[in-house]
Amino acid sequence: MSGMSAGRSAMRMGPAELVQAAAMARRFYLEGKSKIQIAEEFGVSRFKVARVLETALERDLVRIEIRVPAELDAERSDALRARYGLRHAVVVESPAEAEETPDPENLGEVAADLLGELVNEGDVLGLAWGRSTIHMAAALDRLPPCTVVQLTGVYDAGTAERGSVEAVRRAAQVSGGDAHPIYAPMLLPDAATAAALRNQTGIARAFEYFDKVTVACVSIGSWEPGISTVHDMLSDEERAHYASLGVAAEMSAHLFDSDGRRIGRDLGERCITVKTDQLRRIPEVVAIAGGQRKAPAIDAVLRSGLVTSLVTDTSAADYLMTAGPTPKPALSRADPDGI
């Protein structure tokens, strides 16, 4: 037999081999039997079983498909998780008709499902103000029993019933746990007024839970009108001041430059919000943010190391995968700038 003929013969499987390979593959992939169990059944070694299963894949006798819902992009999700060293990254297909829209509503729906996975019974769930977290809370349909606390004041106290207060109530209702809302504006005129509010009984009670939070859900804003809550609450003079410091993003009323360093610390003294060092100690901080317009801000906040997981969309993910030098892993939660 020539070498070529021998090669062709080696590549072929006879009918008995095909039947046996199919039977072994069925036992392994469909019935969940181990290679040792299959070897005992067929009277062969487990090494023979391993070779047969490998051959079944090579000859296309067995096809393995990894399928996720159409709206989830598994490849981008994994690449983004690896690039930023995140614990979880979930990338959702951007709506074709709204590529420029920040934080599409479907991000909140996916984030609600993610929280259903991450929150365990007895956890303390913290929710910061943001359109995306409000959408997430509205989409919640399952949560184990947990305490829910508001992490920031509201954008406008007059809209509390439609905003973060209602989001906290909704999450607590779904989980059957206690709710600790904050009935106060996020930004106050001066540090003294903010300090006085923090000492009020209801607000102080919520603040006591900040160091107990185990899972937090936050939003990200870029420094432009309509996409940053803090930007919209400041005067023109104040906006210009923080812009001169290089502000690129805000999260929970904290400002960051493009490298993820916190700037404008004086603003935090006027805000009702969780501190950055408290955020850093929370085991799981999930950010919900998407859209091309927010992509640079998302990159900046991810570089701060405060966020462990991200729910975003494909338009933002494509920017993030090529944005600047590879960042430090977020899971190290390093604090080189003392933020």
Side-chain angles (χ1 to χ4, degrees), residues 193-216:
T193 304
L197 275 179
R198 292 189 198 104
N199 289 325
Q200 288 189 358
T201 302
I203 297 174
R205 187 177 300 116
F207 267 61
E208 289 174 358
Y209 278 91
F210 285 3
D211 288 325
K212 304 174 185 177
V213 173
T214 50
V215 180

Side-chain angles (χ1 to χ4, degrees), residues 80-93:
L80 197 60
R81 179 200 56 76
R83 173 171 168 77
Y84 286 90
L86 298 168
R87 185 170 291 117
H88 304 284
V90 182
V91 177
V92 181
E93 192 69 32

Side-chain angles (χ1 to χ4, degrees), residues 70-73 76 91-96 104 106-107 312-315:
E71 70 271 16
L72 300 183
D73 192 312
R76 281 185 175 93
V91 177
V92 181
E93 192 69 32
S94 300
N106 62 340
L107 294 186
T312 190
D313 63 355
T314 51
S315 62

Side-chain angles (χ1 to χ4, degrees), residues 1 11 53 64 73 81 105 114 178 187 225 290 295 303 332:
M1 181 182 294
M11 291 294 291
L53 293 174
I64 297 176
D73 192 312
R81 179 200 56 76
E105 288 193 25
L114 179 61
D178 294 332
L187 179 65
R303 289 177 185 276
S332 68

Side-chain angles (χ1 to χ4, degrees), residues 272-305:
I272 302 297
T273 185
V274 63
K275 296 178 181 178
T276 51
D277 62 336
Q278 291 173 313
L279 280 172
R280 196 177 296 280
R281 291 194 295 269
I282 296 173
E284 186 75 76
V285 178
V286 181
I288 313 169
Q292 293 178 354
R293 292 173 64 187
K294 272 196 178 182
I298 298 170
D299 175 62
V301 171
L302 291 182
R303 289 177 185 276
S304 74

